[in-house]
Amino acid sequence: MPLVAGVDFGTLSVRVTLVDSDKGPIGTASAEYPLHRKRDDPDFATQSHEDQMQALMRTTRAVLERTGTAGEDVLALALDTTGSSVIPVDAQLKPLDDYYLWCDHRAKAEAEEITTKAHAAGLEAIDWCGGVYSHEWGFAKLLHWLRHNPDKRDRLATALEHCDMVAATLAGAASPAEVKRSVCAMGHKWLWNPRWGGLPPEEFLVSLDPLLASVRAKLGGEYLTSDRIAGHLSVEWAAKLGLKAGIPIPVGAFDAHWDAVGSHIREGDVVNVVGTSTCIIAMAKEAQLVPGVCGVVPGSVHPDYTGIEAGLSATGDIFEAIARRAGTTVAELSQGLENYRAGQTGLLRLSWDNGDRTVLVNSELGGVTLGWNLLHTAQDELFAAIEGTAFHTRIILERMAEHGVRVDRVINAGGIPQRNEVLNQVYANVLNKPVLVPSGVPTSLGSGIFALLAAGIYSTIEAAQEAVCLPLRTVQPDPAAAAVYERLYRLYRDVYFGLGRRDAKPIALGMVLPALRSIAAGAVR
């Protein structure tokens, strides 16, 4: 049967999956690449385009060999990436620097300036990205780069999102004019929307900083949904990957959005893509403003729907940090967590270790854990962190529902739900809803679905999903645990909004610690 390749560039590795049009995934391979950090600057996080492309070469050849597949049998290649991961390039699309990765947080000041001036100018775009522009997003990162690289400014021809850069590279594009830009990437992270004619006006950008003069023109070109073609695999890159030259490459997108497609999202579903961070994805035929989310963008998930994105700035990263401080691994620390009861630790942990992505959109926040005593362990903290990320997810889902987004089903996708059943059960109990989990890793399967469309094998996303998506199993909430979490959630909400906003109204928090002790005592009894 016809085969295609789906590619997923994550934070630390690239995964390539071969997808059979009838059988679904038939094999996968992955390869890591370095994440560059600076000990004296925790906000710094970059990656090399060359490192990533070398990893893609190794991985593609590995999956062909592992499955015994001839390269000429692969009919299309599609890719998703992290975002907003931004790279400045010259007139020949050569990188002027490494990617500002999504988790690079150096552009905090720039993001705050954009937010303040957008509200002062009455810029409609700021309302459609939740009312606050994030330091994780494109314009903030580009402005930071321009301010800190005066020796390279005159060579800047354009800046590209990761997914657009990789597609352009594979297609052999040699100038910015040849690049197709992802509606998903530009809509959620660059204030783009057809509602107001695309990007913000030139006068607004110049008012932010004269360094942004002419940047709007440099970000020009076709903005397309992922049912359109970005290009065709060049002879050079076909040889490097071991594939056939000329196969179609559809316009790329962000990994979380395509993970949602690979998890069989439909209208009324919310998909939690739980990994190093959490991206929360929904889609609707009709959508309204949702304060505090990461964008409401037509065509960003499915070409025929409006995509809604939200999320947590750290999830798996928090678990890893707890284990690292304890001198162990998450896997080892997780042994025995299945015996924990709701609220038994007496801890209430907020997931702000990397700031708040939604709904406060506040990069200045830090991790908070209430209720410590002298006997608490790292394992207690890990369980409380799982509960905390579930509470934060509930805050987000309630915000979306308040503004007209249907939440009929919750799907836990991404890598962590595949290996952490405790997390799935806690989420079901906290949300008091059944949680669906794919019966395998859906990462890069969404890319495979768009590759199937590009190859002309299926004419709709729905038909491709029916053919290749993995079955979903159901984790039911436990009524007794859900009742305990209802009490804890009310405490969490008070602390979340009371501590998370500079302008928060005074709120009495004196009952929080006694309530935590009472709930923990009840769990022990």
Side-chain angles (χ1 to χ4, degrees), residues 385-470:
I386 293 171
E387 293 177 320
T389 61
F391 289 139
H392 193 166
T393 299
R394 179 168 168 180
I395 291 234
I396 293 168
L397 299 194
E398 289 185 354
R399 174 62 63 88
M400 292 166 71
E402 287 166 7
H403 293 272
V405 179
R406 283 170 47 196
V407 185
D408 300 337
R409 302 194 308 172
V410 176
I411 301 173
N412 270 7
I416 289 179
Q418 295 297 319
R419 56 183 186 272
N420 194 325
E421 195 61 19
V422 170
L423 180 140
N424 295 323
Q425 187 63 61
V426 168
Y427 275 48
N429 295 340
V430 167
L431 301 175
N432 201 14
K433 287 178 177 287
V435 168
L436 306 179
V437 183
S439 61
V441 179
T443 304
S444 69
L445 185 53
S447 298
I449 287 170
F450 280 96
L452 289 168
L453 263 65
I457 297 167
Y458 291 105
S459 59
T460 67
I461 289 172
E462 290 78 7
Q465 285 177 315
E466 289 295 329
V468 303
C469 280
L470 301 163

Side-chain angles (χ1 to χ4, degrees), residues 82-148:
T82 62
S84 184
S85 292
V86 180
I87 192 164
V89 298
D90 66 14
Q92 289 75 46
L93 300 186
K94 302 298 182 186
L96 295 173
D97 219 322
D98 283 349
Y99 286 100
Y100 270 57
L101 206 62
W102 68 270
C103 52
D104 186 300
H105 291 171
R106 285 175 288 168
K108 293 175 183 177
E110 287 75 11
E112 190 169 339
E113 289 173 42
I114 293 170
T115 298
T116 300
K117 294 203 173 184
H119 283 294
L123 192 73
E124 184 179 5
I126 196 67
D127 296 324
W128 284 83
C129 68
V132 181
Y133 198 77
S134 172
H135 56 284
E136 293 186 2
W137 299 350
F139 274 118
K141 290 179 176 177
L142 179 57
L143 181 53
H144 183 276
W145 184 85
L146 287 167
R147 287 174 171 174
H148 291 82

Side-chain angles (χ1 to χ4, degrees), residues 117-463:
K117 294 203 173 184
H119 283 294
L123 192 73
E124 184 179 5
I126 196 67
D127 296 324
W128 284 83
C129 68
V132 181
Y133 198 77
S134 172
H135 56 284
E136 293 186 2
W137 299 350
F139 274 118
K141 290 179 176 177
L142 179 57
L143 181 53
H144 183 276
W145 184 85
L146 287 167
R147 287 174 171 174
H148 291 82
N149 292 275
D151 57 321
K152 300 177 184 177
R153 287 179 200 150
D154 62 343
R155 288 187 283 151
L156 177 72
T158 191
L160 295 174
E161 278 289 339
H162 190 181
C163 59
D164 297 334
M165 178 65 174
V166 176
T169 300
L170 293 176
S175 72
E178 299 176 56
V179 176
K180 313 299 183 189
R181 294 186 186 268
S182 166
V183 158
C184 174
M186 302 305 289
H188 284 287
K189 311 301 184 187
W190 291 82
L191 301 173
W192 178 91
N193 197 302
R195 180 183 176 91
W196 48 83
L199 295 169
E202 175 78 2
E203 54 266 31
F204 170 74
L205 297 175
V206 173
S207 75
L208 285 170
D209 193 311
L211 290 175
L212 290 175
S214 78
V215 160
R216 191 179 193 276
K218 290 177 179 178
L219 296 174
E222 288 188 273
Y223 286 59
L224 302 171
T225 50
S226 293
D227 56 341
R228 303 286 297 278
I229 302 300
H232 295 81
L233 188 62
S234 70
V235 172
E236 175 190 358
W237 276 98
K240 290 179 178 180
L241 300 178
L243 300 177
K244 181 172 59 177
I247 61 174
I249 303 168
V251 174
F254 288 154
D255 48 5
H257 298 70
W258 279 10
D259 278 353
V261 172
S263 300
H264 213 157
I265 190 174
R266 62 193 188 199
E267 187 173 17
D269 290 345
V270 172
V271 180
N272 300 319
V273 184
V274 187
T276 52
S277 68
T278 294
C279 284
I280 298 174
I281 305 295
M283 63 185 198
K285 278 289 187 183
E286 302 290 336
Q288 58 180 283
L289 289 170
V290 184
V293 305
C294 306
V296 180
V297 180
S300 66
V301 179
H302 185 301
D304 299 332
Y305 293 82
T306 294
I308 303 103
E309 178 192 350
L312 284 64
S313 288
T315 305
D317 274 352
I318 295 176
F319 307 157
E320 293 285 350
I322 293 169
R324 184 174 62 253
R325 289 193 291 267
T328 185
T329 66
V330 174
E332 291 177 357
L333 202 58
S334 297
Q335 293 178 16
L337 284 185
E338 67 277 5
N339 299 317
Y340 275 60
R341 298 184 182 91
Q344 81 166 55
T345 67
L347 298 175
L348 188 68
R349 198 187 194 289
L350 287 92
S351 53
W352 288 339
D353 300 52
N354 206 18
D356 184 288
R357 180 184 292 168
T358 314
V359 297
L360 301 173
V361 199
N362 187 345
S363 63
E364 295 182 331
L365 299 176
V368 177
T369 305
L370 300 177
W372 288 110
N373 63 42
L374 298 178
L375 299 179
H376 276 119
T377 66
Q379 190 173 53
D380 294 333
E381 185 186 6
L382 178 60
F383 189 74
I386 293 171
E387 293 177 320
T389 61
F391 289 139
H392 193 166
T393 299
R394 179 168 168 180
I395 291 234
I396 293 168
L397 299 194
E398 289 185 354
R399 174 62 63 88
M400 292 166 71
E402 287 166 7
H403 293 272
V405 179
R406 283 170 47 196
V407 185
D408 300 337
R409 302 194 308 172
V410 176
I411 301 173
N412 270 7
I416 289 179
Q418 295 297 319
R419 56 183 186 272
N420 194 325
E421 195 61 19
V422 170
L423 180 140
N424 295 323
Q425 187 63 61
V426 168
Y427 275 48
N429 295 340
V430 167
L431 301 175
N432 201 14
K433 287 178 177 287
V435 168
L436 306 179
V437 183
S439 61
V441 179
T443 304
S444 69
L445 185 53
S447 298
I449 287 170
F450 280 96
L452 289 168
L453 263 65
I457 297 167
Y458 291 105
S459 59
T460 67
I461 289 172
E462 290 78 7

